[in-house]
Amino acid sequence: MRHFSVNRPSIVALYAWIMLITAISLLFGEETLAPVDSRTNLPIGGVHLSFPVWGSIMEPFTALFHIMGAVPAYKPGIGSILVWIMVVVLILSISTARKNGSTLFSTVFQTFRNAGLALLLLALYLAVGLTIHFPNWALEKDGSELVVADIHSHSLLSHDGMISANKNLLLHEQRGYDVVAMTDHVNSQGPFDAGRVKGEGGIPAVLSGIEVPVYYGAHFYLLGLGMSKGAPLPNGLSWREGTESPTPPARLPPYLWDVKQFIATIHHYHGVVITVAHNLDASEVFKLADQGVDGFEYINSGHAPLSGAVRKAMLTVQRTKGIPLLASNDWHGWSGNLNAWTLVAPANTQALMPGDIVLEALRHHDSAHIIPAVSFPVHPMSWFEVITAPFSATFLYAKTLSFWQLLFWWVWAGIFTLLVRSWPFRRISPARFVMHLFILTAGVLELCDGAAMLLTSYSSSLAPALNLKISCIGIGIGLLLITFESRLFYAHFKQVQTARLLKLISPIMLFLSLTGLFRPKGQRGVV
């Protein structure tokens, strides 16, 4: 019991947190979580969100990423959460130092040391979360005929793509998508050829696509989707222009970036043109609507939410011209968040493939049958929302917890409590042991992920330079963490019998390894 008293504040804080999220879940939770229409923030019928049981097992370790995913705008919202975490660390550090009777210098030193350690652990957690695809919500249909599409996605053909087309499709399949548009940036291969990948069973249908930077008073992007094979860009534009950074307007004849000509060319090759939700103002929305675009990204998970003026302009052109509003992920392989869906209802009873249903709805500007869906409301945040982001995001997170997610919070809390009560080592506390184990695990994950990315870089001539750089960084961080933590573990346990250590950690390692048995492998057949 002597070790339990030392760690009592940690135990109390842990159970206070779990009781809070449990109370919110029981009082405000919904039995079936439905995505919302991003235009109205109202729940959408005919579909619901589900969380995999295998992912629930690791919920306490991935919860921070899920809480971050609940904020309306990811940059200010995540920044606010990280600042609040640091504030709590600083307050606890000062309180603990004063309680121990530390001098002023010692108090300041301990406070900054703990703050630096917290920053390091947060940075490491974010690094792992960005490269490892944590489990997340999947969209499921309640017997409806809706087609679930992601109309903006990338692979290694993009200069900033971090995932192969095959892996991209497998993850989209696990998250419930029927159609994925591969819209790689301008490159020497031209528009993505859907024939490069093929699958069986539940593999999503693939729409060929391209993302093109356009100069038209301001710098924005257009997507060309569903073009027939071999479609060129207008006026002989080289595919390599725009690979690293688009050529400035002063060095490029204006006719090469003629928006109307680009739209006409894509339409000639049976495609549709979508405006990316980035660098737009309200006046450009109306100009692009007049020039013939077939849709606007109302939600783009890869960029900040649109301003109120631009959102209002898009709603106006939808109402007056019928131009659909869409939701996309603009996914390059970073993190496992795929929480935006474009839902398309077939407009007629004609038997069409899912990809054709999406293209037909866009060609005919059938906005009545297209819904831009998100898991949580997305909008620019006021200062009040930024300041209170950790609390509102925690409420949304707890409200949407599944039974299994909540259960494993209690299971892991019980494991940690037993660990504290039966802790046999005097040279290291249970909390420090868990911290070191986390850092060591993060190092192994970074090393494995970096090695996999490195193999991809060398096995594919199409892999971008960024992929090689990130893989080398991941391997370096992984090796550094593993080496450092291994030395610390050796220093802590060199005088302890190996059998005692193995007896303690082997049940935990066994439990962790069993999580892999429930993880879906995805459909086979992608080449």
Side-chain angles (χ1 to χ4, degrees), residues 2 10 79 95 177 184 209 240 262 272 286 295 305 383 473 497:
R2 62 183 183 279
S10 301
S95 175
Y177 291 87
D184 285 304
R240 287 194 177 277
F262 174 80
V272 296
F286 294 109
W383 278 110
I473 293 173
Q497 293 181 359

Side-chain angles (χ1 to χ4, degrees), residues 30-51 69 136-142 144 146-149 175-177 299 301 327 329 338-344 371-378 396 399-400:
E30 301 175 10
E31 185 174 344
T32 302
L33 178 63
V36 298
D37 186 331
S38 58
R39 299 165 298 184
T40 62
N41 290 334
L42 296 176
I44 302 170
V47 291
H48 69 274
L49 300 178
S50 65
F51 201 92
N136 215 313
W137 295 101
L139 189 142
E140 295 185 7
K141 292 177 279 190
D142 302 326
S144 66
L146 288 172
V147 174
V148 183
R175 301 295 170 81
Y177 291 87
I299 296 293
S301 296
N329 291 292
L338 292 172
N339 292 337
W341 306 269
T342 294
L343 307 181
V344 183
I371 303 173
V374 290
S375 54
F376 298 104
V378 176
L396 284 176
K399 178 183 174 182
T400 57

Side-chain angles (χ1 to χ4, degrees), residues 7-43:
N7 293 275
R8 189 178 185 88
S10 301
I11 296 293
V12 171
L14 175 62
Y15 279 97
W17 163 259
I18 297 178
M19 291 176 67
L20 172 65
I21 61 176
T22 300
I24 294 174
S25 178
L26 293 176
L27 293 174
F28 303 100
E30 301 175 10
E31 185 174 344
T32 302
L33 178 63
V36 298
D37 186 331
S38 58
R39 299 165 298 184
T40 62
N41 290 334
L42 296 176

Side-chain angles (χ1 to χ4, degrees), residues 11 13 54 150 180 197 214 219 289 334 369 407 458 464 501:
I11 296 293
W54 68 267
D150 186 356
V180 178
V197 291
V214 178
H219 181 194
W334 297 107
H369 291 89
L407 173 65
Y458 279 101
L501 178 61

